[in-house]
Amino acid sequence: MKNETALAALLVAATTGSAVAQVAVRAGTLHTVSGAPIENAVVIAGADGKIEWVGPAAEADIPDGVDVLEAAVVTPGLVDARSVVGLSGALNSNVGPVRDQDQLERSSPLQPDLRAIDAYDANETLVEWVRSYGVTTLHTGHGPGALVSGQTMIAKTRGRNVEQATLMPVRMLAATLGNAVSSNFQSPGTSAKGIAMLRSALHGAQSYLDQVRKAEEASGDENGDGDEDGDAKPAPQPPPRDLSKEALGQVLDGELSLLVTANTVAEMASALRLQQEFGFDLVLDSAAESYLLLEEIREAGVPVLLHPTMSRVRNGSYETAATLADAGIPFAIQTGFEGYVPKTRVLLWEAAIAAANGLGMERALEAITLSPARILGIDDRVGSIEVGKDADLALFDGDPFEYTSHICGVIIESEVMSAECR
């Protein structure tokens, strides 16, 4: 009761607009993820939203007046490696004033210019729902189902608007290979056609980049002709601006990763060939049959955002996460997208099944915290409990992967976001 009262008081303070209060958390067991678990530990979170101190309770110097919460187990806030939450909503409606399904635009199979940040709803009920299950950071955006469906973003599950929620406005460009595309669009109707269309789009983007660069070089030439003799020649003109080619160009320049949803060996092999041809940063998404392509994936140095363990994918396996970990392939477990309400899976439960099928507790927790943070390039801020990182914490009344345990508190950047045990 004391714990719930303290949480409720902090929650009221947050909703009334007062400054974020400093808070300390006592944990029976603290999983830092970056190091060994600490028994009987304390985390002190500062008013700047960062972790100020971590260590044994006997060594803690908690400032006077700071609210102290208690939990049996504390972990870093969970990081969902791949989601459409915020673009897809809890109502599952595609029509009328309550339309909340913006994860896939079906007017064209190639739309790299679409930005997740232009559709993300920070106030969506589904954002609050996944937060209540410990998810504090989302890599979300346009979902699978189009050859190129659009750009992804990284957001905290807090804030009154997208600006307050955004951690990284653009992170990857989402693409899909295989039957998922043909089920949504007339073209491409086959896998070979899909690769041909994607290859053609990348070549077009490369040509566009070359024209832009030549025009920029010419504009910087004193004579405007690129010659030392000063003979006047028409300077190359930049092409008309093309937002789609600009986005694909960012992939070619290494500014964005290409996130390719591919499940079969053939689909993943095609993605790897494209990566070798164009040299972009590839991330495999879903990757149901990745256990059959371990050597190729490892040699390519490509990370995997693995499908939810219990999702219905052809030739999926509960043991794939453990297989990837044993092979030394960087991977993270995601929640993905489901066609039914609530449109997403529970990240904790998906990791728990992987833990029970060879991955083990420690590696499973890393697969939904530090590992996705590293793959996404945000491990300087989230993914582990370390001084200087964001004070994002999940508080449990027992083993996080035990079905009978509950999440009894969620903190994001020192702000208590949830006070209800779930």
Side-chain angles (χ1 to χ4, degrees):
M1 180 64 70
K2 178 181 178 181
N3 184 39
E4 291 183 0
T5 301
L7 282 166
L10 285 171
L11 192 61
V12 170
T15 56
T16 55
S18 60
V20 176
Q22 188 182 37
V23 62
V25 179
R26 291 184 181 272
T29 301
L30 179 72
H31 292 280
T32 66
V33 180
S34 57
I38 304 174
E39 300 299 322
N40 191 20
V42 166
V43 182
I44 300 177
D48 60 353
K50 303 294 183 181
I51 296 173
E52 288 188 353
W53 192 88
V54 181
E59 302 174 13
D61 184 14
I62 302 174
D64 293 337
V66 171
D67 291 283
V68 180
L69 311 182
E70 296 183 2
V73 179
V74 175
T75 73
L78 309 185
V79 180
D80 193 340
R82 172 68 161 130
S83 173
V84 297
V85 169
L87 279 75
S88 69
L91 296 177
N92 194 31
S93 175
N94 278 309
V95 295
V98 294
R99 183 180 183 276
D100 65 350
Q101 299 301 297
D102 270 354
Q103 73 279 352
L104 186 63
E105 170 60 51
R106 288 184 167 86
S107 61
S108 170
L110 272 165
Q111 300 199 69
D113 52 325
L114 300 185
R115 306 190 311 169
I117 197 171
D118 294 327
Y120 183 81
D121 183 1
N123 295 302
E124 166 57 46
T125 302
L126 201 53
V127 174
E128 180 183 1
W129 188 79
V130 300
R131 184 182 68 215
S132 72
Y133 282 97
V135 175
T136 57
T137 303
L138 286 170
H139 175 223
T140 189
H142 294 90
L147 190 58
V148 179
S149 59
Q151 302 164 25
T152 67
M153 63 178 290
I154 302 175
K156 292 291 186 77
T157 54
R158 62 174 292 191
R160 293 178 291 104
N161 52 53
V162 68
E163 285 76 20
Q164 293 178 356
T166 298
L167 187 60
M168 191 176 291
V170 184
R171 179 57 183 90
M172 299 186 188
L173 191 62
T176 306
L177 301 180
N179 293 332
V181 181
S182 59
S183 63
N184 289 299
F185 301 91
Q186 185 174 358
S187 178
T190 64
S191 296
K193 178 65 173 179
I195 294 296
M197 289 174 64
L198 188 52
R199 178 178 287 110
S200 178
L202 289 168
H203 276 298
Q206 186 62 68
S207 178
Y208 176 83
L209 287 179
D210 291 343
Q211 293 178 57
V212 171
R213 286 167 182 156
K214 286 179 180 178
E216 290 175 346
E217 291 171 0
S219 66
D221 178 38
E222 185 176 347
N223 299 316
D225 59 6
D227 292 335
E228 295 180 358
D229 57 14
D231 294 336
K233 295 179 182 178
Q237 297 299 308
R241 189 171 187 187
D242 189 318
L243 297 180
S244 291
K245 290 178 179 176
E246 283 184 11
L248 288 166
Q250 288 180 289
V251 170
L252 295 172
D253 280 347
E255 297 174 19
L256 300 179
S257 301
L258 188 64
L259 177 66
V260 178
T261 301
N263 278 308
T264 68
V265 167
E267 292 164 2
M268 289 184 288
S270 293
L272 291 172
R273 283 194 299 273
L274 277 180
Q275 189 266 344
Q276 292 171 357
E277 181 179 347
F278 290 95
F280 53 76
D281 180 39
L282 171 66
V283 177
L284 286 175
D285 174 47
S286 195
E289 294 183 356
S290 54
Y291 56 86
L292 298 175
L293 208 65
L294 296 175
E295 185 176 344
E296 291 83 352
I297 295 172
R298 183 173 53 239
E299 288 182 357
V302 172
V304 174
L305 303 186
L306 187 64
H307 62 80
T309 310
M310 295 181 284
S311 64
R312 293 166 294 180
V313 290
R314 193 182 79 176
N315 293 333
S317 169
Y318 286 174
E319 299 176 355
T320 303
T323 301
L324 292 172
D326 291 342
I329 295 173
F331 80 99
I333 296 173
Q334 56 161 301
T335 60
F337 171 77
E338 295 293 347
Y340 54 81
V341 175
K343 319 306 293 182
T344 184
R345 289 178 175 267
V346 178
L347 188 58
L348 266 174
W349 298 349
E350 300 299 328
I353 296 300
N357 285 272
L359 191 59
M361 191 277 181
E362 291 185 4
R363 295 195 300 184
L365 182 58
E366 184 174 352
I368 55 175
T369 53
L370 189 54
S371 182
R374 285 172 174 161
I375 293 172
L376 296 171
I378 55 174
D379 55 305
D380 60 329
R381 289 193 58 176
V382 302
S384 61
I385 301 175
E386 300 179 67
V387 172
K389 285 193 174 184
D390 292 358
D392 296 353
L393 306 170
L395 284 60
F396 299 84
D397 62 4
D399 182 343
F401 295 139
E402 173 57 53
Y403 189 76
T404 56
S405 295
H406 304 88
I407 298 177
C408 292
V410 176
I411 298 172
I412 301 179
E413 297 179 19
S414 300
E415 183 179 359
V416 178
M417 305 299 302
S418 175
E420 180 182 357
C421 289
R422 296 188 64 105

